C-alpha cells in the first residue's frame, strides 16, 4: 500500500479549503419555512472550531477518554457535517445513527459505543426515538431540531456563541479511528464498523480515479449520512474535492430541492430510480415514450425535457447501488440518455469495491474492482472475498465477530456470492448466508423477527423473506389444528395474526417491518424438502417455491393472506 499523504486526510483537506477559498459557498440548507441558508468555507470553519472548543471543554470537565465517542442522531443537514468535523477536530470519534431507528436500537447503539454525548438534530419521528436516549446523556440540539429537543438541550448557535474558535490546525493521523458506522449483523444486533482516517482517504483516492469529480460539481444530500455511501460519496467528496452540497428538506419538497441543486453527480437506491420512472410513465405512457425516443430529432428533445423535469439535466454522473438494479431499469435510463453506473460495496469496505466504468455498457454486472481492490471467489461456496486498504479495522468490541468475517490469509468475507466475468466485471448472484437486502438497500436480519412471529400459538414454523423487495414478508406455517379450521375460525385467526403483525412491526426499525403475513396450510416436511432432519427450515427452498408469489401477495394490500 502506498503511504497515505497527510494532506489527503479529511481534516487536512478541510483546512485547505478554509484557507484557500474562505468565501466560497459550499453548503445550501433549506430551513423548512421557505427560506434557504448558505454557508461558506469560512463560516463552516468558524462554527466547527467553536463547537470543537465546546466539545474539548466538556470532555475535560467530564473526564472523557482519548478518542471518546460522540453520536449524531439527525437527518441530513449542514449541522450534521459540521458536527462530524467538530468531533474530529476536538480529537474524538463520531458515531452516526440512522434518523428513523426504533428507540430500542437507538439505546443499544449509544450504550454499546459508549457515547459520551449526542447531537439531536433534524428528525421526523423524534417522539418514538426519544425514549432510547439514556437518562443523563449530554445532548445538544440543532436549529432544525424538534421543538422539545431545542427546549430540553442547549442549541448549536448558543454553544457556538459562548466559545471562542479553536485555534491552529489540529491533525488526526491516518491510523486513528475516525468513526463507528453501525450496521446490522445476522443476529440483528448492530455492529460498529471501525474505520480510520486513512481508510477514508485511500477510498476517496481510488474512487476518484473511476469517478472523476471536481470542485465545480454539485450534489444533493438526501440519503442518510449514517449510510456508508452517503458518507463517502457526499461528505468526503465535499472535503476532498470541494464539491458543493445541497440538502433536501422534506419528502414533499424533494422535487424542488433537486431543481435547486441541479446536481452534476447523483446517486440513488433502485427504489427511487423506479419511482422516477413511474412518475414519467404516469405522464406519458410507456409505448408512446418509446416511440418518441426512437425518432431522431424528437427523441433528443424529449430526453432533454424529461431530464430537466427530473432536475437531472445537468447530471454527468448517475449512479445506483445499495441493492441490485434491474437490468430493464438500467436499459430504460440508458435509452433516456442517463446511463447509471451500478456500484457494489459494503459498510465494511467503505462501499469501495466495484463499479461500472462510465462510458462503457457493463449492464448486468457491478463492473470491475476499483484500483487497489482485490477480489476473488471462494472455491468452497462461491463467496466473494476482497481486500483493500479501505477494509475496516474490525467490529467495535467484537473481536470474535471480526475474526469470523476474515479469512486466515487476510481477505474479507462479503457473504455475497458472485462470478467474475469478462474484463474483470463482477456479477453478484446471491447471498451465502441468510441476511438479505431490501430494494431500499437496507439489510434485514430475519432470525430475530422470526423469533417474534413464532410466538403466536398457531404458528409452527416461519421464515422472513423478501430480498430486493420494498419490505420483507413473513411466511408462517400453521399448526395442524389451525390449518384445518373452518371459515369462522380462519376469520378469527386472520384477526389475531393481524394484531400480532402490528405488535411486531411496532418493535422493528422501518426497513425491517413486514408488509404482510402469509399463512401457509401445507406442512413443511423433510419429505417435501422444506426442512432438514433437525427441523431447520431450508431458506433456499422457501425462496424457490414462494419467492415468485411474494410480489402478488403484497399487491393485495392485505395484512394477512392464506395460502392453501
Amino acid at each position: 500500500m502506498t503511504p497515505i499523504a497527510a494532506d489527503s486526510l479529511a481534516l487536512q483537506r478541510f483546512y485547505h479549503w478554509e484557507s484557500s477559498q474562505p468565501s466560497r459557498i459550499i453548503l445550501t440548507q433549506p430551513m423548512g419555512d421557505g427560506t434557504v441558508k448558505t454557508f461558506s468555507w469560512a463560516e463552516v470553519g468558524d462554527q466547527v472550531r467553536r463547537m470543537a472548543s465546546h466539545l474539548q471543554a466538556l470532555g475535560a470537565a467530564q473526564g472523557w477518554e482519548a478518542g471518546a465517542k460522540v453520536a449524531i442522531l439527525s437527518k441530513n443537514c449542514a449541522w450534521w457535517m459540521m458536527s462530524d468535523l467538530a468531533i474530529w477536530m476536538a480529537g474524538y470519534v463520531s458515531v452516526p445513527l440512522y434518523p428513523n431507528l426504533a428507540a430500542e436500537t437507538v439505546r443499544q447503539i449509544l450504550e454499546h459505543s459508549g457515547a459520551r454525548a449526542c447531537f439531536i438534530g433534524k428528525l421526523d419521528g423524534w417522539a418514538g426515538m426519544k425514549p432510547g436516549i439514556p437518562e443523563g446523556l449530554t445532548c445538544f440540539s440543532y436549529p432544525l431540531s424538534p421543538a422539545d429537543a431545542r427546549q430540553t438541550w442547549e442549541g448549536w448557535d448558543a454553544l457556538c456563541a459562548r466559545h471562542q474558535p479553536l485555534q491552529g490546525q489540529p491533525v488526526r493521523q491516518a491510523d486513528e479511528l475516525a468513526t463507528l458506522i453501525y450496521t446490522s449483523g445476522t443476529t440483528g444486533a448492530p455492529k460498529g464498523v471501525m474505520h480510520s482516517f486513512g481508510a477514508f482517504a485511500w477510498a476517496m483516492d481510488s474512487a476518484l480515479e473511476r469517478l472523476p469529480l471536481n470542485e465545480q460539481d454539485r450534489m444533493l444530500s438526501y440519503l442518510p449520512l449514517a449510510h456508508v455511501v452517503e458518507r463517502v460519496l457526499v461528505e468526503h467528496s465535499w472535503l476532498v474535492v470541494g464539491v458543493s452540497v445541497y440538502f433536501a428538506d422534506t419528502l414533499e419538497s424533494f422535487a424542488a430541492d433537486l431543481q435547486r441543486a441541479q446536481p452534476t453527480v447523483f446517486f440513488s437506491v433502485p427504489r427511487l430510480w423506479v419511482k422516477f420512472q413511474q412518475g414519467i410513465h404516469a405522464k406519458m405512457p410507456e409505448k408512446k415514450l418509446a416511440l418518441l425516443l426512437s425518432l431522431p430529432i424528437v427523441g433528443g428533445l424529449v430526453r432533454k425535457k424529461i431530464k430537466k423535469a427530473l432536475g437531472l439535466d445537468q447530471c454527468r454522473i448517475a449512479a445506483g447501488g445499495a441493492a441490485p438494479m434491474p437490468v430493464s431499469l438500467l436499459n430504460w435510463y440508458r435509452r433516456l440518455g442517463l446511463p447509471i453506473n451500478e456500484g457494489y460495496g459494503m459498510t465494511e469496505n467503505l462501499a469501495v469495491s466495484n463499479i461500472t466504468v462510465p462510458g462503457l455498457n457493463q449492464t448486468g454486472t457491478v463492473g470491475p474492482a476499483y484500483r487497489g481492490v482485490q477480489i476473488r471467489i471462494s472455491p468452497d461456496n462461491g463467496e466473494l472475498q476482497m481486500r483493500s486498504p479501505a477494509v475496516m479495522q474490525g467490529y467495535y468490541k467484537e473481536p470474535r465477530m471480526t475474526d469470523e468475517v476474515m479469512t486466515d490469509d487476510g481477505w474479507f468475507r462479503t457473504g455475497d456470492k458472485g462470478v467474475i466475468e469478462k474484463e474483470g466485471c463482477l456479477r453478484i448472484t446471491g447471498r451465502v448466508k441468510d441476511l438479505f437486502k431490501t430494494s431500499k438497500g437496507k439489510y434485514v436480519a430475519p432470525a430475530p423477527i422470526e423469533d417474534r412471529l413464532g410466538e403466536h400459538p398457531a404458528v409452527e414454523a416461519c421464515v422472513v423473506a423478501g430480498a430486493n423487495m420494498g419490505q420483507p414478508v413473513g411466511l408462517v406455517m400453521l399448526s395442524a389444528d389451525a390449518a384445518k379450521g373452518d371459515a369462522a375460525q380462519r376469520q378469527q385467526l386472520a384477526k389475531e395474526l393481524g394484531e400480532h403483525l402490528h405488535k411486531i412491526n411496532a418493535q422493528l426499525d422501518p426497513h425491517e417491518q413486514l408488509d404482510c403475513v402469509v399463512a401457509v396450510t401445507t406442512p413443511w416436511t423433510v419429505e417435501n424438502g422444506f426442512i432438514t432432519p433437525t427441523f431447520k427450515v431450508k431458506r433456499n427452498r422457501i425462496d424457490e417455491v414462494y419467492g415468485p408469489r411474494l410480489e402478488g401477495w403484497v399487491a393485495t394490500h392485505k395484512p394477512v393472506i392464506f395460502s392453501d
Side-chain angles (χ1 to χ4, degrees):
M1 172 182 168
T2 303
I4 299 295
D7 61 0
S8 68
L9 302 179
L11 271 179
Q12 284 87 324
R13 292 302 299 161
F14 168 69
Y15 299 141
H16 163 74
W17 299 116
E18 181 189 37
S19 61
S20 65
Q21 299 186 10
S23 61
R24 184 177 161 225
I25 300 299
I26 37 76
L27 296 179
T28 301
Q29 175 66 56
M31 298 300 292
D33 58 1
T35 64
V36 174
K37 185 175 178 63
T38 60
F39 297 84
S40 66
W41 281 117
E43 290 168 330
V44 168
D46 180 68
Q47 296 198 28
V48 165
R49 289 174 176 280
R50 290 173 184 274
M51 183 54 66
S53 289
H54 170 65
L55 292 175
Q56 283 193 347
L58 188 64
Q62 296 185 358
W64 293 3
E65 68 280 5
K69 314 303 183 293
V70 179
I72 306 172
L73 176 59
S74 175
K75 294 173 68 176
N76 299 13
C77 61
W79 294 275
W80 198 111
M81 302 218 302
M82 290 193 286
S83 295
D84 211 13
L85 279 173
I87 292 166
W88 292 338
M89 195 181 289
Y92 302 128
V93 175
S94 61
V95 183
L97 283 75
Y98 281 96
N100 57 354
L101 295 176
E104 179 184 352
T105 311
V106 171
R107 180 176 295 273
Q108 196 172 25
I109 292 174
L110 291 175
E111 292 180 346
H112 181 268
S113 66
R116 292 293 201 147
C118 183
F119 288 95
I120 305 295
K122 182 182 179 185
L123 297 164
D124 293 332
W126 169 237
M129 285 179 272
K130 188 176 181 179
I133 305 297
E135 187 175 351
L137 180 68
T138 300
C139 295
F140 327 109
S141 65
Y142 291 163
L144 295 179
S145 297
D148 82 314
R150 284 184 276 116
Q151 293 164 2
T152 305
W153 295 296
E154 192 167 6
W156 177 280
D157 289 343
L159 290 168
C160 287
R162 62 184 179 85
H163 286 278
Q164 291 300 310
L166 191 67
Q167 297 302 304
Q169 296 187 350
V171 298
R172 306 293 296 276
Q173 302 304 314
D175 60 353
E176 278 190 80
L177 181 63
T179 191
L180 301 180
I181 305 179
Y182 275 83
T183 182
S184 295
T186 54
T187 62
K191 294 179 295 186
V193 177
M194 299 188 290
H195 278 299
S196 67
F197 289 97
F200 276 107
W202 184 91
M204 286 303 302
D205 185 57
S206 183
L208 288 169
E209 188 175 282
R210 183 71 55 85
L211 301 175
L213 310 182
N214 57 65
E215 62 184 88
Q216 278 72 50
D217 281 315
R218 300 180 299 277
M219 291 187 182
L220 178 69
S221 180
Y222 68 100
L223 295 173
L225 275 162
H227 191 281
V228 66
V229 174
E230 193 80 357
R231 196 86 178 279
V232 174
L233 181 64
V234 176
E235 183 187 31
H236 282 265
S237 290
W238 172 63
L239 290 171
V240 174
V241 183
V243 304
S244 298
V245 177
Y246 294 71
F247 294 95
D249 190 14
T250 65
L251 189 61
E252 292 73 24
S253 71
F254 183 79
D257 295 328
L258 200 53
Q259 291 288 348
R260 176 188 297 115
Q262 292 287 295
T264 58
V265 180
F266 186 75
F267 172 89
S268 186
V269 295
R271 195 169 182 84
L272 186 60
W273 287 116
V274 170
K275 285 185 177 295
F276 282 165
Q277 182 191 46
Q278 291 172 340
I280 292 166
H281 283 158
K283 296 179 180 178
M284 185 179 296
E286 187 173 357
K287 288 184 179 180
K288 182 179 178 181
L289 177 59
L291 174 63
L292 293 176
L293 291 177
S294 69
L295 302 175
I297 298 176
V298 175
L301 295 173
V302 170
R303 289 184 182 91
K304 186 175 181 180
K305 184 175 181 180
I306 289 175
K307 287 189 286 186
K308 187 172 181 62
L310 290 175
L312 296 176
D313 55 316
Q314 300 297 312
C315 183
R316 66 182 188 86
I317 298 177
M325 299 279 287
V327 171
S328 59
L329 183 69
L330 292 168
N331 288 336
W332 186 86
Y333 275 102
R334 186 173 293 279
R335 289 193 299 272
L336 194 64
L338 192 65
I340 298 172
N341 292 100
E342 184 172 13
Y344 168 78
M346 307 175 72
T347 305
E348 287 87 345
N349 57 28
L350 285 177
V352 175
S353 178
N354 293 67
I355 194 168
T356 54
V357 179
L360 299 182
N361 187 350
Q362 297 171 333
T363 301
T365 77
V366 291
Y370 287 95
R371 175 187 51 79
V373 174
Q374 295 174 282
I375 60 174
R376 73 184 185 187
I377 306 298
S378 168
D380 299 327
N381 58 2
E383 180 184 40
L384 170 68
Q385 298 173 355
M386 63 83 64
R387 64 181 179 184
S388 81
V391 171
M392 66 177 179
Q393 294 180 330
Y395 295 120
Y396 187 58
K397 295 181 181 176
E398 302 289 353
R400 181 185 60 80
M401 295 175 75
T402 302
D403 290 341
E404 287 175 356
V405 298
M406 301 301 295
T407 66
D408 292 340
D409 57 349
W411 292 66
F412 172 66
R413 306 177 193 269
T414 67
D416 287 312
K417 287 187 175 183
V419 294
I420 300 174
E421 300 182 341
K422 61 181 182 179
E423 299 176 345
C425 291
L426 173 67
R427 180 164 57 87
I428 303 297
T429 58
R431 287 288 295 173
V432 175
K433 296 183 179 180
D434 301 332
L435 200 69
F436 63 86
K437 269 185 181 179
T438 66
S439 64
K440 299 173 183 175
K442 295 289 191 69
Y443 279 114
V444 173
I449 308 174
E450 290 162 356
D451 288 343
R452 291 168 176 168
L453 266 179
E455 292 173 356
H456 193 282
V459 176
E460 188 168 311
C462 62
V463 168
V464 170
N468 305 324
M469 294 177 60
Q471 295 292 137
V473 172
L475 291 157
V476 301
M477 189 195 85
L478 298 178
S479 65
D481 288 339
K484 63 185 180 184
D486 59 25
Q489 291 170 322
R490 180 170 287 194
Q491 186 175 4
Q492 176 61 28
L493 179 58
K495 180 182 177 183
E496 291 178 9
L497 288 174
E499 292 170 350
H500 188 47
L501 172 65
H502 181 75
K503 182 179 178 181
I504 291 170
N505 279 343
Q507 302 171 57
L508 299 175
D509 290 335
H511 70 281
E512 300 174 309
Q513 293 172 0
L514 303 177
D515 237 334
C516 62
V517 167
V518 179
V520 177
T521 57
T522 301
W524 297 340
T525 66
V526 175
E527 289 73 22
N528 62 23
F530 282 95
I531 61 172
T532 70
T534 55
F535 300 102
K536 294 178 181 177
V537 178
K538 295 182 178 179
R539 295 182 185 275
N540 58 345
R541 176 68 171 153
I542 295 291
D543 290 337
E544 177 187 12
V545 175
Y546 297 108
R549 304 178 64 188
L550 295 179
E551 293 282 4
W553 282 327
V554 169
T556 67
H557 301 294
K558 295 179 180 178
V560 179
I561 298 145
F562 285 86
S563 173
D564 297 310

